[in-house]
Amino acid sequence: MIVDGIEDEEKWLAEGIAAIQQNAFFMLRAVDSDNLREALKYSAQMLSELRTSKLSPHKYFELYMRAFDELRKLELFFKDESRHGVPVSDLYELVQHAGNVLPRLYLLCTVGSVYIKSKEASCKDLLKDLVEMCRAVQHPIRGLFLRSYLCQVTRDKLSDIGPEYEGVDDFVMDAVDFVLQNFTEMNKLWVRLQHQGPVRVKEKREKERNELRDLVGKNLHILSQIEGVDLEMYRDTVLPRILEQIVNAKDELAQHYLMDCIIQVFPDEYHLQTLDILLAACPQLQPTVDIKTVLSQLMERLSNYAASSMEVLPEFLQVEAFAKLNNAIGKVIEVQVDMPIVGAITLYTSLLMFTLRVHPDRLDYVDLVLGACVRKLSGKPKLEDSRATKQIIALLSAPLDKYNDAVTALTLSNYPRIMDYLDNDTNKIMAMVIIQNILKNYTCISTADQVEALFELIKGLIKDIDGSPVDELDEEDFKEEQNSVARLIHMLYNDDPDEMLKIICTVQRHIMSGGQRRLPFTVPPLVFSALKLVRRLQGQDGEADGEEAPASPKKIFRLMNQTIDALSFVPSPDLALRLYLQCAEAASDCDLEPMAYEFFTQAFILYEEDIADSKAQFTAIHLIIGTLQRMNVFGVENRDTLTHKATGYSAKLLKKADQCRAVYACSHLFWVDDHDGSRDGERVLLCLKRSLRIANAAQQMASVTRGSSGPVTLFVEILNKYLYFFEKGNPQVPTSAIQGLVELIRTEMQSDTSTTDLATAAFFSSTLRYIQYQKQKGGVMGEKYDPVKL
């Protein structure tokens, strides 16, 4: 029995090491004096320490290594017959007289390796003799380490087996038989140890298990290095016999490890040629074996090999490999009825990786793998296992990463069907992966059908699914998602205007169902995408602007009017107003006065009914004035109506300062340089005088409320407007008006009740320097400014 007491075990190990060192000292002294009898005596006593049953596998390994190092020195002594004077054949008989079985067999293996190297006897018979006699030790730990020693001392001799040995014709087969027989016996001992070993701390037990399994796996590594083990021998003899032992072991750990050993130590070319044999064993393994890991490693190695050997690897082998792997995975999943869903998905993910690596041009294979995964998921609820959803994301991301083209994924019929099994959160994650792939690779989605398929894939970001309210989302995550969707809309493009209009209509239909909270993110990119199309149609001849054209600016503007109108229900009036003005300017460029007037009307309605904040009103009226000033499509009547509304709203702003600035901004509506019909000097002067009155009122109000007249910034700003229109040649702006304003500002700044700040003073000084500069410059402008006295 192996005792669990750590202190006792350390004591026994120390005692064993001390005994080995003591006997090794006398053994080496005998070797130095060429005393064979004494060397055998002390070596046997040293090896007797390995008969202990008190140590755990890990501690026994330490003891074994001490003895192993000493045995290598003894082996060198046995090789030199001139020193001990005994023929190797007699030495082989002599060591068999050792008193105990274990020391006897260690010495026999040591002399046997020398005997094989001497080529004085049949290597086949010697190997058979050694491997058979080792059966005398059936204790699992002692037997494993003994056979490991046999494996170690003979591995460099196996390549020497050849026809020069007497009567050996099938010399490679003899070496193979020896290693396979030793492997078989070691595997039995290891399996038996798994079931009779004591219960230990999990981490310690795992370490011991790994050490012992490596002893067994060493046989397969040696087998793979024997020269002469060609594909035919591997297929007909080696692989079937190894698989027979693995299946018969009926031990989960042994089966998993040894299957992994086969995959790792033998050439990938052999695996590709013997897939049917290897895969046939998979369904026969224990249900608890982690077969998904084994098959995943196999497919990864095969895909790497196939990709690096594409020029020399026959196409039919690649096709057969896919068919065999697909069939084997199906059988494994069918046999292992208790396999978790994550295991099945992992297998299909590995198969898909193999397919994409080996058959990148076979989209039908890719879709076939996805279809098999769909069938496995059918009838099950949405996945909630985080490991399974992670594998699904890996499965769906693989085609995107391989082709760097989301359009390819859109052609796979089973791609969206798999996404339907993801829970809402994971569905969004996968949708973000798709969008990021499109943005990273600048993939252009160019047809309405592709857009429809794409938006079906990313529907988790476009709208609420299964009653999952958007309000429950983290605000930052929500913004990131919707900003990504907005960027995606800019990637939807087609040179054909009719197809582009279909794309816009498809997007509009989807985003309109996304709920009010998403519209402020998705409507603007759609509007600007539509306006890009309008600009393209604007430059075309013929009937592009007509009602009968499939894609015309009028149709697009009507669609945008409906789309922007939805923002008023969000509500997001500021954004809606900006978009209306953008559309109005585009309609003006297309010479569509009714459409432009309609957009302005909608903007004014929003201003009147939905924009209540004073700052927002000030910003909005300036946007309206700026847009209207740039437009030249309106006739006299419509322009007068719009400018009248703009000036009226400007004068009604809450703050006097805002009123003043908005009113003098309206003066530009009556003096447009590139529009001859929009130069009305009287109305310009009217706006300036009105703004001046408002500034005066603001000064007086400041004097009443604060006891001071307040800053004169507004007067300086109005002065600059006077200068602008004076230089533009407005006859209604005389030098006397400029002179009067300059004096007014100076008076206000020198007043005891004024609160002139440094910025205003600097602004006024700068204005005066400009006037002085114009006076000194001379010419026509200098003459105009000459009457102004500074």
Side-chain angles (χ1 to χ4, degrees):
M1 289 293 295
I2 299 176
V3 182
D4 282 329
I6 297 178
E7 295 182 0
D8 290 342
E9 196 174 34
E10 292 290 346
K11 183 184 71 172
W12 292 326
L13 175 62
E15 292 174 353
I17 291 175
I20 286 178
Q21 291 174 338
Q22 182 181 8
N23 285 291
F25 171 78
F26 290 114
M27 178 190 76
L28 292 177
R29 190 170 67 176
V31 167
D32 291 340
S33 59
D34 297 336
N35 189 334
L36 177 61
R37 182 175 297 277
E38 289 296 308
L40 291 176
K41 171 186 173 184
Y42 287 111
S43 62
Q45 292 179 6
M46 176 188 71
L47 292 168
S48 293
E49 296 300 322
L50 296 178
R51 298 172 58 215
T52 181
S53 300
K54 298 178 179 180
L55 300 178
S56 66
H58 178 65
K59 297 300 182 183
Y60 189 90
F61 177 74
E62 293 185 38
L63 192 67
Y64 164 81
M65 288 306 300
R66 296 297 183 105
F68 176 82
D69 292 339
E70 304 301 335
L71 285 175
R72 302 305 288 177
K73 301 170 186 176
L74 184 63
E75 181 182 2
L76 295 175
F77 176 61
F78 288 159
K79 286 180 181 179
D80 192 353
E81 185 178 336
S82 64
R83 295 180 60 187
H84 54 72
V86 178
V88 67
S89 57
D90 294 344
L91 188 58
Y92 188 71
E93 294 292 333
L94 181 61
V95 296
Q96 296 186 43
H97 294 289
N100 293 304
V101 173
L102 191 65
R104 181 194 314 157
L105 291 176
Y106 271 104
L107 291 172
L108 192 64
C109 291
T110 306
V111 177
S113 68
V114 176
Y115 203 178
I116 293 172
K117 194 70 175 178
S118 70
K119 301 181 181 180
E120 295 179 11
S122 167
C123 180
K124 175 182 178 180
D125 293 340
L126 287 172
L127 290 175
K128 184 178 180 181
D129 191 31
L130 291 173
V131 77
E132 289 290 342
M133 282 197 287
C134 284
R135 286 186 175 180
V137 179
Q138 287 297 310
H139 185 278
I141 295 179
R142 295 197 292 266
L144 278 170
F145 281 95
L146 172 63
R147 288 189 174 275
S148 175
Y149 181 73
L150 172 63
C151 181
Q152 187 67 29
V153 296
T154 57
R155 63 179 304 173
D156 59 332
K157 319 298 188 300
L158 297 178
S159 58
D160 292 337
I161 303 178
E164 66 270 21
Y165 286 102
E166 26 177 277
V168 178
D169 297 323
D170 197 2
F171 53 91
V172 176
M173 183 59 70
D174 293 339
V176 170
D177 284 341
F178 165 74
V179 178
L180 284 174
Q181 187 173 354
N182 197 50
F183 162 72
T184 300
E185 295 299 326
M186 290 185 73
N187 190 43
K188 291 177 181 178
L189 291 171
W190 181 41
V191 171
R192 195 161 79 235
L193 181 63
Q194 300 302 317
H195 298 285
Q196 71 180 38
V199 177
R200 299 179 181 276
V201 178
K202 182 178 180 181
E203 291 78 7
K204 184 176 181 181
R205 181 74 170 167
E206 186 70 23
K207 186 175 182 180
E208 294 174 352
R209 182 184 297 128
N210 293 340
E211 291 173 349
L212 294 175
R213 75 180 187 183
D214 290 340
L215 299 179
V216 181
K218 190 187 300 182
N219 289 275
L220 300 185
H221 181 68
I222 293 173
L223 197 57
S224 69
Q225 294 181 325
I226 297 178
E227 295 183 11
V229 178
D230 55 14
L231 175 61
E232 181 180 0
M233 178 176 290
Y234 177 77
R235 182 187 62 237
D236 298 338
T237 304
V238 176
L239 182 59
R241 289 180 61 180
I242 295 175
L243 291 176
E244 180 184 6
Q245 288 302 317
I246 294 175
V247 172
N248 291 338
K250 298 188 183 303
D251 180 80
E252 170 193 349
L253 296 174
Q255 289 181 340
H256 181 273
Y257 172 71
L258 294 176
M259 288 292 288
D260 183 63
C261 277
I262 293 176
I263 294 170
Q264 299 297 331
V265 303
F266 290 103
D268 296 326
E269 179 188 0
Y270 288 10
H271 296 324
L272 192 61
Q273 299 277 6
T274 59
L275 261 182
D276 48 348
I277 302 175
L278 183 59
L279 295 176
C282 292
Q284 303 177 52
L285 302 179
Q286 295 296 105
T288 52
V289 173
D290 186 12
I291 194 62
K292 69 177 186 298
T293 303
V294 174
L295 290 178
S296 296
Q297 291 176 346
L298 173 63
M299 286 184 278
E300 182 179 359
R301 289 182 65 93
L302 290 180
S303 62
N304 292 336
Y305 171 70
S308 62
S309 311
M310 203 63 76
E311 296 181 359
V312 297
L313 198 61
E315 175 65 22
F316 76 90
L317 279 180
Q318 300 176 39
V319 176
E320 284 184 1
F322 171 79
K324 291 174 181 177
L325 286 169
N326 188 35
N327 183 56
I329 289 174
K331 287 184 177 179
V332 167
I333 293 175
E334 180 182 353
V335 171
Q336 296 192 5
V337 292
D338 295 329
M339 176 184 288
I341 192 66
V342 62
I345 298 173
T346 302
L347 286 175
Y348 285 123
T349 301
S350 299
L351 179 59
L352 184 63
M353 296 292 192
F354 171 83
T355 305
L356 292 171
R357 189 80 182 271
V358 180
H359 306 285
D361 55 332
R362 294 297 300 268
L363 290 179
D364 54 330
Y365 283 4
V366 176
D367 208 29
L368 186 66
V369 176
L370 296 177
C373 191
V374 169
R375 288 191 295 275
K376 180 61 181 177
L377 294 171
S378 63
K380 294 180 172 59
K382 290 185 180 295
L383 295 175
E384 295 182 355
D385 183 354
S386 59
R387 297 177 302 162
T389 54
K390 184 177 180 180
Q391 282 300 318
I392 286 286
I393 291 178
L395 179 77
L396 295 173
S397 300
L400 299 175
D401 296 337
K402 176 62 180 180
Y403 299 115
N404 289 324
D405 182 9
V407 175
T408 302
L410 299 179
T411 63
L412 302 171
S413 61
N414 289 301
Y415 200 92
R417 295 173 63 191
I418 292 181
M419 287 194 66
D420 288 339
Y421 288 97
L422 296 174
D423 62 84
N424 294 338
D425 291 339
T426 312
N427 193 293
K428 290 179 183 179
I429 293 173
M430 191 61 225
M432 286 291 287
V433 170
I434 295 172
I435 292 177
Q436 294 302 324
N437 182 272
I438 293 174
L439 298 177
K440 177 183 176 182
N441 297 291
Y442 300 98
T443 305
C444 180
I445 313 299
S446 57
T447 69
D449 290 340
Q450 290 177 353
V451 172
E452 183 70 40
L454 174 62
F455 275 58
E456 180 62 26
L457 286 180
I458 64 170
K459 60 186 177 184
L461 300 179
I462 302 299
K463 59 184 179 181
D464 300 336
I465 301 177
D466 298 336
S468 175
V470 72
D471 295 334
E472 295 181 358
L473 297 177
D474 178 78
E475 185 66 24
E476 291 300 320
D477 291 343
F478 177 75
K479 288 182 179 180
E480 181 182 358
E481 292 171 0
Q482 297 310 305
N483 284 329
S484 296
V485 174
R487 294 176 62 196
L488 173 67
I489 293 174
H490 290 295
M491 303 302 295
L492 314 178
Y493 180 81
N494 194 299
D495 288 326
D496 178 44
D498 294 338
E499 188 64 31
M500 188 63 201
L501 180 57
K502 291 180 182 178
I503 290 174
I504 291 171
C505 291
T506 302
V507 175
Q508 193 257 4
R509 176 166 46 82
H510 279 280
I511 68 174
M512 286 297 102
S513 64
Q516 296 180 0
R517 191 178 174 192
R518 291 185 175 90
L519 291 179
F521 295 92
T522 54
V523 168
L526 177 62
V527 171
F528 283 102
S529 181
L531 293 182
K532 283 183 183 178
L533 178 58
V534 168
R535 305 289 184 192
R536 288 162 53 194
L537 293 173
Q538 174 189 340
Q540 294 182 1
D541 298 325
E543 56 183 7
D545 293 339
E547 289 290 339
E548 65 277 7
S552 68
K554 285 185 179 180
K555 286 187 175 182
I556 298 170
F557 284 133
R558 291 194 189 101
L559 181 65
M560 290 303 99
N561 199 354
Q562 299 171 6
T563 305
I564 299 172
D565 184 58
L567 287 174
S568 61
F569 300 101
V570 173
S572 186
D574 298 349
L575 178 59
L577 183 138
R578 290 172 183 270
L579 295 177
Y580 276 133
L581 294 178
Q582 289 285 342
C583 290
E585 193 167 358
S588 174
D589 294 338
C590 294
D591 202 25
L592 295 174
E593 182 180 3
M595 297 301 304
Y597 190 83
E598 174 63 22
F599 284 123
F600 256 103
T601 301
Q602 294 298 327
F604 277 123
I605 292 173
L606 277 175
Y607 180 85
E608 293 172 359
E609 298 180 355
D610 297 318
I611 300 179
D613 180 74
S614 60
K615 287 185 178 180
Q617 286 181 336
F618 179 70
T619 303
I621 200 65
H622 271 275
L623 288 172
I624 291 172
I625 294 170
T627 305
L628 185 56
Q629 190 266 341
R630 292 192 298 272
M631 296 174 66
N632 54 21
V633 71
F634 295 120
V636 176
E637 182 179 354
N638 285 340
R639 187 173 185 85
D640 284 347
T641 301
L642 295 174
T643 53
H644 177 73
K645 279 182 172 293
T647 53
Y649 288 132
S650 298
K652 294 178 182 179
L653 291 172
L654 179 63
K655 297 179 180 179
K656 290 294 183 181
D658 292 345
Q659 289 180 21
C660 178
R661 291 184 173 102
V663 169
Y664 71 57
C666 287
S667 63
H668 290 279
L669 297 177
F670 304 106
W671 195 277
V672 183
D673 290 335
D674 57 355
H675 197 284
D676 294 335
S678 296
R679 291 189 179 182
D680 190 337
E682 291 185 3
R683 298 182 74 174
V684 168
L685 184 60
L686 183 64
C687 286
L688 295 178
K689 287 182 176 180
R690 191 174 186 181
S691 65
L692 192 56
R693 288 196 302 271
I694 297 172
N696 273 316
Q699 284 289 88
Q700 294 173 7
M701 186 178 297
S703 177
V704 172
T705 57
R706 298 198 298 268
S708 64
S709 57
V712 294
T713 307
L714 292 175
F715 293 120
V716 182
E717 293 174 5
I718 295 170
L719 172 61
N720 277 268
K721 289 298 176 183
Y722 268 90
L723 295 177
Y724 171 82
F725 288 109
F726 176 71
E727 292 186 3
K728 289 295 183 180
N730 186 341
Q732 303 298 322
V733 181
T735 55
S736 59
I738 297 174
Q739 184 73 55
L741 260 177
V742 170
E743 294 175 357
L744 173 64
I745 294 170
R746 279 178 172 163
T747 301
E748 290 292 336
M749 293 180 68
Q750 294 171 2
S751 171
D752 294 337
T753 59
S754 67
T755 56
T756 305
D757 61 280
L758 295 177
T760 301
F763 185 15
F764 181 58
S765 298
S766 202
T767 304
L768 294 180
R769 285 196 301 272
Y770 175 78
I771 296 174
Q772 186 64 37
Y773 167 75
Q774 293 292 355
K775 288 166 64 69
Q776 293 174 354
K777 188 171 67 171
V780 177
M781 192 60 65
E783 293 178 0
K784 291 181 65 175
Y785 273 102
D786 191 58
V788 180
K789 304 301 181 182
L790 302 177

